[in-house]
Amino acid sequence: MSKRYLGKLFSLLTLVLMFFILTACNDEDAEAEVEGNDNADKGEAAQDDVFSIDDFEQIKTNQGEAIEGGTLNFGLVSDTAFEGTLNFNFYSGNPDAQVISWFDESLLDVDENYAYTNDGAATLDVDREAKTITFKIRDNVNWHDGEPVTAEDWQFAYEVIGHPDYDGIRYGSDFTIIKGMEAYHSGEADAISGIEVIDEKTMKISYDTFTPSLLSSGIWSYAMPKHIFKDIPVADMSSSPEVREKPIGMGPFKVDSIVPGESVTFVKNENYWRGEPNLDGVTLKVINPNVVVQALENGEVDLVDSFPTDQYPENADMSNVEFVGDVDLAYTYIGFKLGKWDAEAGEVIPDPEAKMADVDLRRAMWHAVDNDTVGKKFYNGLRWNANTLIPPSHPDYHDDSIEAPTYDPDKANQLLDDAGYEDVNGDGIREDKDGNELVINFASMSGGDTAEPLAQYYIQAWEAVGLKVELLDGRLQEFNTFYDRVEADDPEIDIYQGAWSVGYDVNPAGLYGRDAAFNYTRYASEENDALLQEGVSEKAFDEAYRQDVYSKWQELMVDEIPVFPTVYRAVIIPVNNRVQNYAVDFKDGVGIYRYQLALTQEEAVTAE
């Protein structure tokens, strides 16, 4: 998927479901009404065209001869300011991840199947029998201030995340499997015994448990400049100027200036380890979803991090851009609050008396909504009905054979009748099982023209089966406020609409594990624990075995319904005709990287 974006990035992304850690999405173009709703005019106007992600290329076609230098203008599409926690160890939302990705990067690269390669800034040597991985950072990899990126910097990142005073969201099962990590985290040890610095550029990690996830983006692969942060207390790091005002990284561009929450100016890192970037710099600015089309047409921005898919049909023929796209590592979902987070214990505590604890109530709410129509008629096929919590971005693990609840209001009514939710007062609204008023508080976030209509559609769909669902505070929640309240287990929230950008590793434990802070529903069960553990067991190094485990897990989630997925997503990116060498996902599997971005003319091409 991954507070917070395609927004905690994604998703996406968990207590580290790695490489571009999973993040929560800002569902900025979410959503529109389905047929039968009087407010559906905007969606109905675009119902004639249905598109497919198969219609798009992943890489921007190169046309013309590149000029030397130039500045690319990048639009971060959001109706809110980016938070400004500009460090991989601390950020929690996709907007911040988008900013960071221009100036910092993973030490490890991945291929098209999200498995680690030795083509990144560091190589790795795996010894499964000894349960160790040895990493070697290339000699020419340096921080923006000229200091070398060292093994101590990488070790330091682990020490910060594992520290008792760490206030971020990264610490979880991918860290606790390292030898000595839990003793260090609890304050019983001054160092992590399983992390050894061999020389300036070499580090070895020893694990108590060696899992398949480690080899598919399950390693924390981001260093932290120790020479800058070593004298800052860990509790103060996330709010420090070194994170908020003058961050540095090892990526192809350097931060030159920041207007908090609004824009960032980058200049090229001439000493970038892969080679000097083609561009002189990049200017990133927040663009409201309501004006993104105008900004693209007039050349204010060359490309954006995401484009509202509901706006694509009307703009598919925009003359000055080429649209590229791919299946997104994300899904939108409805989540049910089922407990609380125990910060001291570091685990969820389910509440069997929670308002939404009845699985038949949750199943009825799934049957009551028509996500197939939402996808086809209001995203024109660029979002589509979802059946499980492993999206088709992971085709080897997504099980499309699982029969999940689909739109069936008669079934929803029958489930509610049988479960004892009766219309006691005869007003068409059901009471709870004890005959008391049942009001379900629904949190949904703002963003884009269709956010409000979709939230209202869901409310009306649930009302059609007798459930009184009301928007939290009577309005949509601003992005950061939404995730603050969901994460804090605000007692006013019963259900919420969110989106996860999932990590490259298919392991869902970082979102749905008992010890996962991102498990916002606060769901846990022994069977869930067992399947998640089995998915990272020694047996799961056999891909077929792991596929079977995660198929069973997807089935369990359909049975238990702590959340239900609504739609899978396409990511569609319009790229100005002057831009060369842009890929939807910069990684070794694609073979194109940010430093290769180039322009064919000084000024952006404008629409005819």
Side-chain angles (χ1 to χ4, degrees):
M1 148 280 208
S2 289
K3 317 174 202 178
R4 332 256 215 249
Y5 171 101
L6 211 169
K8 282 179 165 174
L9 229 340
F10 46 140
S11 93
L12 316 1
L13 59 187
T14 53
L15 276 69
V16 184
L17 288 184
M18 301 299 139
F19 199 84
F20 281 148
I21 187 158
L22 113 118
T23 54
C25 303
N26 181 355
D27 218 10
E28 70 276 343
D29 52 343
E31 321 322 328
E33 304 269 354
V34 296
E35 60 187 345
N37 189 299
D38 293 338
N39 296 324
D41 294 343
K42 182 178 184 296
E44 289 176 354
Q47 288 177 7
D48 292 340
D49 297 317
V50 176
F51 302 92
S52 167
I53 189 57
D54 295 332
D55 299 335
F56 300 87
E57 299 293 333
Q58 292 181 297
I59 299 172
K60 167 70 165 63
T61 302
N62 287 335
Q63 296 177 351
E65 183 176 348
I67 63 172
E68 290 187 12
T71 298
L72 181 140
N73 297 309
F74 178 81
L76 176 57
V77 180
S78 175
D79 67 338
T80 62
F82 60 85
E83 189 173 271
T85 307
L86 304 180
N87 184 282
F88 275 122
N89 290 266
F90 293 103
Y91 89 92
S92 58
N94 182 67
D96 283 351
Q98 291 291 335
V99 177
I100 298 168
S101 65
W102 286 100
F103 72 86
D104 204 4
E105 65 184 24
S106 168
L107 285 159
L108 299 174
D109 211 342
V110 295
D111 64 17
E112 64 276 8
N113 295 313
Y114 314 124
Y116 288 121
T117 73
N118 280 326
D119 297 318
T123 61
L124 69 166
D125 183 18
V126 177
D127 187 336
R128 276 180 53 189
E129 186 173 345
K131 298 181 181 178
T132 65
I133 304 178
T134 302
F135 305 92
K136 181 75 172 180
I137 303 171
R138 298 182 192 277
D139 290 336
N140 63 334
V141 179
N142 299 311
W143 296 109
H144 291 154
D145 61 4
E147 292 293 320
V149 178
T150 67
E152 284 195 7
D153 292 327
W154 206 346
Q155 178 190 47
F156 184 65
Y158 279 89
E159 291 173 343
V160 168
I161 292 173
H163 196 279
D165 294 335
Y166 172 68
D167 62 353
I169 56 174
R170 303 275 111 70
Y171 187 77
S173 58
D174 296 296
F175 290 87
T176 58
I177 61 174
I178 298 171
K179 285 185 180 295
M181 179 61 83
E182 291 189 283
Y184 174 76
H185 183 67
S186 67
E188 298 174 9
D190 295 330
I192 305 167
S193 62
I195 301 182
E196 176 187 359
V197 171
I198 297 174
D199 59 39
E200 184 185 38
K201 291 286 189 174
T202 309
M203 179 181 76
K204 182 167 75 172
I205 300 182
S206 300
Y207 297 88
D208 286 319
T209 304
F210 203 84
T211 76
S213 290
L214 287 171
L215 304 183
S216 57
S217 309
I219 297 165
W220 186 245
S221 56
Y222 303 97
M224 192 171 181
K226 185 175 181 178
H227 65 284
I228 289 176
F229 287 93
K230 64 181 180 180
D231 295 326
I232 302 174
V234 171
D236 298 333
M237 286 181 180
S238 65
S239 59
S240 69
E242 288 74 11
V243 167
R244 300 281 181 161
E245 301 170 15
K246 47 184 179 182
I248 72 167
M250 49 167 276
F253 299 96
K254 301 185 289 187
V255 173
D256 183 56
S257 63
I258 299 175
V259 177
E262 296 181 11
S263 65
V264 182
T265 300
F266 304 93
V267 296
K268 71 176 175 181
N269 173 16
E270 295 180 353
N271 298 312
Y272 178 56
W273 69 274
R274 289 189 191 273
E276 182 177 346
N278 292 322
L279 298 174
D280 290 328
V282 175
T283 299
L284 178 151
K285 64 176 69 177
V286 173
I287 300 293
N288 190 285
N290 295 326
V291 299
V292 64
V293 171
Q294 297 94 306
L296 287 160
E297 287 181 331
N298 65 26
E300 180 183 350
V301 293
D302 292 298
L303 59 95
V304 293
D305 69 307
S306 63
F307 186 80
T309 51
D310 63 310
Q311 296 186 34
Y312 175 74
E314 294 180 358
N315 298 285
D317 296 326
M318 193 183 304
S319 63
N320 64 327
V321 303
E322 178 180 334
F323 281 91
V324 294
D326 200 0
V327 176
D328 202 358
L329 291 102
Y331 57 88
T332 307
Y333 69 97
I334 300 293
F336 301 93
K337 279 295 188 178
L338 303 175
K340 301 289 184 182
W341 173 254
D342 186 332
E344 184 174 346
E347 64 178 37
V348 301
I349 307 297
D351 177 8
E353 302 301 319
K355 186 185 295 186
M356 309 309 298
D358 186 346
V359 70
D360 285 329
L361 173 58
R362 304 197 296 270
R363 183 170 290 107
M365 294 184 76
W366 194 347
H367 276 298
V369 296
D370 188 354
N371 292 313
D372 185 60
T373 298
V374 167
K376 288 180 179 177
K377 293 194 174 182
F378 298 93
Y379 293 107
N380 300 87
L382 296 178
R383 294 193 184 183
W384 56 98
N385 183 59
N387 68 320
T388 85
L389 298 179
I390 294 180
S393 54
H394 295 72
D396 291 342
Y397 291 94
H398 169 67
D399 191 343
D400 60 6
S401 71
I402 290 175
E403 295 184 4
T406 54
Y407 181 56
D408 189 341
D410 290 339
K411 179 67 172 177
N413 278 309
Q414 188 64 54
L415 282 165
L416 293 169
D417 289 344
D418 292 346
Y421 296 93
E422 299 179 354
D423 177 8
V424 176
N425 297 323
D427 58 1
I429 301 299
R430 298 174 184 271
E431 280 69 36
D432 68 17
K433 294 182 180 182
D434 296 322
N436 301 313
E437 182 182 31
L438 176 63
V439 178
I440 299 171
N441 294 312
F442 176 37
S444 190
M445 73 184 83
S446 62
D449 292 341
T450 52
E452 176 77 27
L454 185 70
Q456 291 300 327
Y457 161 68
Y458 284 130
I459 289 171
Q460 293 169 22
W462 290 320
E463 183 181 16
V465 296
L467 295 174
K468 185 177 182 179
V469 180
E470 297 182 345
L471 269 182
L472 181 67
D473 300 333
R475 57 180 171 80
L476 299 180
Q477 303 291 306
E478 180 270 336
F479 176 71
N480 292 317
T481 301
F482 172 86
Y483 277 108
D484 282 340
R485 296 183 71 172
V486 170
E487 183 176 323
D489 298 326
D490 188 321
E492 295 298 314
I493 299 175
D494 299 316
I495 67 174
Y496 63 96
Q497 179 180 220
W500 280 124
S501 180
V502 299
Y504 285 170
D505 178 24
V506 70
N507 178 14
L511 289 178
Y512 299 103
R514 190 181 293 267
D515 64 349
F518 278 142
N519 182 350
Y520 290 149
T521 67
R522 311 315 185 194
Y523 161 83
S525 72
E526 292 184 1
E527 187 174 359
N528 184 53
D529 294 343
L531 285 171
L532 292 179
Q533 183 60 41
E534 200 60 26
V536 293
S537 66
E538 182 69 27
K539 291 181 180 178
F541 279 102
D542 181 322
E543 185 176 22
Y545 181 85
R546 199 180 197 210
Q547 289 171 340
D548 182 62
V549 169
Y550 285 137
S551 179
K552 291 176 180 176
W553 180 81
Q554 290 170 81
E555 186 72 58
L556 176 67
M557 292 298 98
V558 167
D559 291 340
E560 295 287 307
I561 319 177
V563 312
F564 67 80
T566 55
V567 288
Y568 299 132
R569 307 151 64 113
V571 56
I572 305 298
I573 306 294
V575 185
N576 193 274
N577 289 338
R578 74 166 180 153
V579 178
Q580 292 185 346
N581 302 329
Y582 176 80
V584 177
D585 191 3
F586 293 102
K587 63 176 185 285
D588 185 53
V590 175
I592 292 181
Y593 301 91
R594 289 177 192 266
Y595 84 105
Q596 295 170 304
L597 280 164
L599 304 173
T600 60
Q601 59 186 57
E602 288 288 347
E603 300 297 326
V605 180
T606 57
E608 297 176 358

